[in-house]
């Protein structure tokens, strides 16, 4: 971040976010945020004089950095009937999220630099949130990962197992090795759907597809994830590749990944809101709304994932926002596509879970700022994002920590119009989201201004890393 000009301290502010509970990298404290030129100019104490400028009353609320959801599927191009960037990014703002990182499962999939540039051309002018893209790793051309311009992408998605929207799958182990080797040479981070397709193929050969949702989780069991994670640990150890495992679903995977991190391997992992919120029993009762990939598992797995969240093992929270239409989700169990909308519900659902578990509000806010702020900002090279501090982008979100309210279909911003959280009573609610120093959404007045989200390009790569 560029240093601020000290001479600007006496100028009127663009926005003064007054009297909130500030969630900063140095701790949580009462204070005021001063915004100038779209950036955080200062954090003032309760007794310090305030500059002139538009006021935003934050009393009784936490002021968090604009949150980052590093795992969304906004379905553009080619699948806009399920979701589009206008609806998806509006859902993000209402959920406190100001930056998203989108996946390559589109039609056509985004498997090279030209594909990402074309994708931005379609999106530009429609997104309320800033955005970055995960490139799709191509098993037919894994060598491309050695030469990706980091201004275009700093990460690449690897599918080790297939499902309805997976564009390409690494079925050949030699292709996977070549991808890890190339990514290590290029300094690009691999983000992985780590389930082993060979395990699933073996099981499919001896059993029929499930005809009920109670049979779905055993049909796609934890063994697929455990085998895949063990492979990834081996490849990271061999090549030194930076890797991030997405949507970890089982206790055993979390144990393996935490042990690998303790060994010093550059291997991190994400936990999703739905794996923290639901269990296999919910899928048995409720059917397709929590039909997911990886599957929702047992109570013991959920407890282990919460432990990973609370003890710093997990580095990020992701929504895996992956809407489908109601008609698609109501197909027979074997045919219904996995996925749910979640970018709007993620932070509120996790906040509710933290408070239900007796976590002190300041500590809960610190967890949220780490897992949806500084953690993903560091992983994916997002300077200016995810931290409430002078010089950072003035992306902020205000959280009323104690309001209890029931989430309904009427609240859903996603284009699909439904949510697995319908009927849930949440604790805490986002009330205002500030984007680049301007109030972009407020619970009383709705959206204001225009969708001015921008493509966040990465930093230029040092020559020694590129070669």
């Amino acid at each position: 971040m560029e240093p601020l000009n000290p001479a600007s301290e006496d100028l009127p502010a663009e926005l003064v976010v007054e009297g909130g509970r500030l969630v900063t990298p140095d701790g949580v404290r009462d204070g005021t945020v001063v915004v100038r030129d779209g950036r955080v100019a200062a954090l003032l104490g309760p007794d310090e004089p305030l500059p002139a400028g538009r006021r935003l009353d934050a009393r009784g609320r936490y002021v968090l950095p604009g949150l980052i959801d590093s795992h969304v599927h906004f379905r553009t191009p080619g699948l806009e009937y399920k979701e589009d960037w206008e609806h998806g990014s509006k859902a993000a703002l209402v959920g406190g999220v100001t930056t998203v990182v989108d996946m390559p499962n589109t039609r056509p999939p985004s498997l090279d630099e030209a594909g990402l540039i074309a994708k931005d051309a379609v999106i530009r002018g429609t997104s309320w949130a800033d955005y970055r893209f995960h490139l799709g790793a191509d098993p037919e051309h894994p060598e491309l990962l050695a030469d990706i311009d980091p201004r275009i992408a700093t990460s690449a998605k690897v599918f080790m197992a297939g499902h309805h929207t997976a564009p390409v799958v690494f079925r050949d182990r030699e292709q996977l090795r070549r991808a890890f080797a190339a990514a290590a040479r290029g300094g690009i981070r691999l983000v992985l759907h780590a389930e082993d397709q060979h395990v699933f193929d073996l099981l499919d050969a001896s059993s029929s597809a499930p005809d009920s949702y109670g049979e779905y989780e055993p049909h796609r069991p934890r063994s697929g994830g455990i085998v895949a994670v063990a492979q990834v640990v081996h490849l990271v150890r061999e090549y030194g590749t930076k890797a991030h495992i997405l949507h970890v679903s089982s206790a055993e995977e979390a144990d393996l990944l935490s042990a690998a991190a303790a060994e010093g391997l550059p291997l991190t992992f994400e936990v999703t809101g739905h794996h923290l919120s639901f269990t296999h029993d919910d899928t048995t009762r409720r059917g397709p709304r929590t039909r997911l990939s990886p599957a929702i598992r047992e109570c013991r797995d959920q407890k282990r994932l919460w432990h990973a969240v609370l003890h710093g093992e997990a580095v990020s929270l992701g929504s895996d926002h992956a809407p489908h239409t109601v008609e698609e989700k109501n197909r027979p169990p074997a045919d219904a596509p996995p996925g749910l909308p979640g970018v709007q519900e993620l932070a509120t659902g996790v906040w509710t879970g933290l408070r239900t578990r007796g976590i002190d509000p300041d500590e809960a806010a610190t967890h949220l700022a780490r897992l949806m702020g500084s953690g993903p900002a560091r992983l994916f090279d997002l300077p200016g994002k995810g931290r409430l501090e002078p010089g950072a982008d003035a992306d902020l979100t205000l959280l009323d920590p104690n309001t209890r309210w029931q989430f309904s279909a009427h609240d859903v911003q996603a284009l699909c119009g439904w949510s697995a959280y319908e009927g849930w009573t949440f604790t805490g609610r986002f009330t205002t989201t500030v984007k680049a120093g301007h109030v972009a959404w407020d619970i009383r007045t709705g959206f204001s201004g225009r969708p001015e989200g921008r493509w966040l390009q990465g930093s230029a790569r040092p020559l020694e890393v590129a070669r």
Side-chain angles (χ1 to χ4, degrees):
M1 287 175 288
E2 297 178 4
L4 296 174
N5 180 3
S8 69
E9 294 180 1
D10 297 328
L11 297 175
E14 186 176 351
L15 185 68
V16 178
V17 184
E18 184 178 2
R21 190 89 175 129
L22 310 186
V23 186
T24 80
D26 299 320
V28 183
R29 58 185 174 86
D30 293 332
T32 291
V33 182
V34 178
V35 174
R36 292 189 182 94
D37 298 324
R39 297 165 64 191
V40 176
L43 303 179
L44 303 179
D47 299 323
E48 293 186 70
L50 303 182
R54 181 186 177 190
R55 295 289 199 269
L56 177 59
D57 185 359
R59 288 174 296 179
R61 287 171 285 178
Y62 283 96
V63 182
L64 291 136
L67 302 178
I68 300 167
D69 188 346
S70 53
H71 189 169
V72 304
H73 302 264
F74 280 0
R75 304 299 194 197
T76 301
L79 297 167
E80 291 92 340
Y81 73 93
K82 299 174 187 275
E83 180 64 293
D84 59 29
W85 276 78
E86 179 184 0
H87 288 84
S89 60
K90 281 185 172 181
L93 289 196
V94 175
V97 172
T98 56
T99 299
V100 297
V101 190
D102 190 56
M103 291 292 174
N105 319 32
T106 54
R107 293 178 183 170
S110 306
L111 302 179
D112 55 27
E113 293 180 1
L116 294 184
I117 292 169
K119 186 173 181 176
D120 171 63
V122 176
I123 293 165
R124 197 178 307 140
T126 68
S127 180
W128 291 82
D130 288 344
Y131 51 93
R132 171 72 64 76
F133 304 125
H134 297 296
L135 181 75
D138 185 352
E140 297 301 320
H141 301 285
E143 68 281 356
L144 293 178
L145 299 175
D147 296 306
I148 298 299
D149 185 338
R151 291 170 297 182
I152 303 299
T154 63
S155 54
K157 175 74 175 285
V158 171
F159 287 93
M160 296 175 69
H163 57 71
H164 293 63
T165 65
V168 290
V169 178
F170 279 78
R171 294 176 179 271
D172 183 275
R173 298 191 190 282
E174 182 56 31
Q175 288 176 326
L176 189 63
R177 295 178 67 88
R178 289 169 58 199
F180 271 77
R185 294 196 303 273
I188 197 166
R189 188 179 304 276
L190 296 182
V191 297
L192 297 109
H193 182 129
E195 292 187 288
D196 190 272
Q197 186 63 48
H198 301 285
V199 169
F200 294 158
D201 289 344
L202 180 66
L203 295 173
D204 288 347
S206 62
S207 62
S208 59
D211 58 13
S212 75
Y213 283 99
E215 297 172 353
Y216 173 63
E217 192 276 338
H219 178 68
R220 286 292 178 260
R222 67 184 64 236
S223 55
I226 296 166
V227 169
V229 166
Q231 291 180 63
V232 172
V233 171
H234 174 76
L235 291 168
V236 169
R237 186 182 286 132
E238 182 174 358
Y239 293 107
T241 316
K242 297 178 293 185
H244 185 60
I245 305 295
L246 302 168
H247 42 45
V248 168
S249 66
S250 74
E252 291 86 352
E253 292 166 72
D255 290 343
L256 284 169
L257 291 164
S258 294
E263 184 182 309
L265 297 178
L267 184 55
T268 54
F269 69 95
E270 165 198 273
V271 176
T272 65
H274 45 261
H275 284 110
L276 295 172
S277 298
F278 302 103
T279 68
H280 170 57
D281 290 340
D282 292 303
T283 306
T284 299
R285 289 193 304 269
R286 303 180 67 196
R289 291 194 176 210
T290 54
R291 196 270 203 215
L292 299 161
S293 181
I296 302 289
R297 307 214 185 275
E298 308 297 335
C299 285
R300 71 177 181 90
D301 301 296
Q302 186 185 72
K303 289 178 181 178
R304 179 64 182 89
L305 297 179
W306 271 110
H307 184 276
V309 164
L310 294 171
H311 292 83
E313 296 168 283
V315 172
S316 67
L317 288 169
S319 69
D320 195 1
H321 178 88
H324 301 281
T325 66
V326 171
E327 292 75 18
E328 289 173 322
K329 293 296 279 185
N330 283 336
R331 292 172 183 166
D335 300 323
L340 51 69
V343 66
Q344 180 179 346
E345 299 93 326
L346 173 60
T348 308
V350 171
W351 178 266
T352 299
L354 290 165
R355 301 293 292 121
T356 300
R357 285 161 177 78
I359 304 302
D360 173 81
D362 282 2
E363 182 183 349
T366 300
H367 284 304
L368 210 56
R370 171 176 59 87
L371 291 160
M372 294 186 69
S374 58
R378 176 179 56 81
L379 279 181
F380 301 115
D381 183 27
L382 297 166
K385 304 297 185 184
R387 296 169 69 89
L388 180 54
E389 61 186 2
D393 290 359
D395 296 350
L396 312 168
T397 190
L398 274 56
L399 173 66
D400 179 339
N402 299 316
T403 293
R404 289 176 60 81
W405 60 290
Q406 189 172 96
F407 190 79
S408 72
H410 177 74
D411 298 301
V412 173
Q413 296 288 329
L415 181 63
C416 65
W418 64 272
S419 171
Y421 292 84
E422 288 173 42
W424 272 49
T425 298
F426 285 134
T427 297
R429 190 166 195 173
F430 292 97
T431 62
T432 309
T433 300
V434 175
K435 188 76 193 66
H438 300 281
V439 174
W441 171 80
D442 185 85
I443 196 169
R444 297 162 299 177
T445 58
F447 296 92
S448 60
R450 296 179 299 160
E452 296 182 345
R454 57 195 174 96
W455 183 9
L456 303 173
Q457 296 191 344
S459 305
R461 180 172 19 179
L463 183 61
E464 61 272 17
V465 174
R467 297 291 177 260

